[in-house]
Structure formats: structure tokens, C-alpha cells
Amino acid sequence: MANPEYQETLDHFDILSVILYRIGITLVALSFSSLGYSYFSTVYQIAWPVLSLHTNQIVLAVSATLCAANIHVYSKVVRVIISWSTWIGLVCLVIDANQYVWLSFGFFAITASGIALKESFCFRVFGLKAMPLLLILVVLALHQSWLSVAGFCLLFSALIYLRLAIAKWRMPLHFDIGIKANYEI
């Protein structure tokens, strides 16, 4: 958690990693909303989805990868769990996106949940601490083919992540880095 009284000197790599992390959070919000809308449009035949289901999965994979590759967490163990779950989700997505969509989403959900819990220490965004439960419901709903439940939970998660993204873009860049000496390498 960042200390507002302390301002770390950021190099170009630090600035780039913070910006990519924030872009990843923003893309997670957009991909959750697009996926949720896709599931609703599939079930209720509302209208054609904006993006295909496969494209939505790729956007989610890219956004989770941006977050996982640029996350700033002091604890090495927590950083590894959040990051490696995305890499495993990418492998599941590449192996068979149609058969194991719930499994790959489950690993991306670990990353999104870890980020939400990490950010809940800094922000009082409504719903951040409930994000793991919402995303577990999405994984269960996808496994059971309850697309309307998955769509609802994804749209609600998108709103929470959008509020987080707005809060992140408003704060100074050095808040994401914190104190460099505290990182476990």
C-alpha cells in the first residue's frame, strides 16, 4: 500500500509498467462488460454481440496479461500467484478455447480477484472485496452453461472494475509503485 508522504523516484520502466497496469485494469472492465453482454445476447437474442465470444476471450486474456505482467505487489508469493494464474489461463485458452472456456476464465478470475483484493486496501470502491465471489459465480455459471447468470455477474463486475479504473487513473503514478526497497525479489 502506498504511503502518500513518500514519493519514490520513478524511471521510464516504472512509468511504463504503471501505465500498462492501469490500461489492463481498464481493459478488464471493458472485456467483462462485453463478455456479459455477449452472454445476454446469446440467451435472450437481444441483438448481435459487439464482439464475438472468441474475440472477447482474447481481449480478456490480453487485459489480464497486462495486469499480471505489471502488477506491483511487495510479496513475492502473492505476485507469483496472481501472475502465474494468468499464464495458466492463457495455456488453457490456447489448448481449447471452446471446451475449457470456464477453466481459462477461472484462471483469469484469480488474477482479477487478486488485483481487486490488492486494490481494496487502497480504495473504498464498493464491491471490490466481493469480486472473488462474483467471479467464482461466473466460473460456476460457465461450467453449468447458465449464461444469463454469468452475464449478470460479469456486468456487475465490469461496473466495479470501471470504478476502480477511474480511481486508479486519478491518482499519481508513484502511488502504484510504493517503496521500491520493500519489494521481495
Side-chain angles (χ1 to χ4, degrees), residues 39-70:
Y39 290 134
F40 271 128
S41 66
T42 301
V43 172
Y44 299 111
Q45 299 174 350
I46 300 169
W48 293 104
V50 177
L51 299 173
S52 70
L53 187 58
H54 185 67
T55 305
N56 282 325
Q57 292 169 345
I58 291 172
V59 171
L60 178 61
V62 167
S63 59
T65 303
L66 281 173
C67 290
N70 296 294

Side-chain angles (χ1 to χ4, degrees), residues 7 10 14 27 38 41 60 66 74 76 81 86 99 101 125 128 143 147 154 157 169 173 182:
Q7 183 171 350
L10 304 181
D14 293 332
L27 284 176
S38 292
S41 66
L60 178 61
L66 281 173
Y74 292 144
K76 183 179 184 180
I81 291 169
T86 293
Q99 181 73 18
V101 66
V125 174
L128 273 181
H143 184 263
L147 297 183
L154 279 167
S157 298
W169 284 108
L173 295 178
N182 291 347

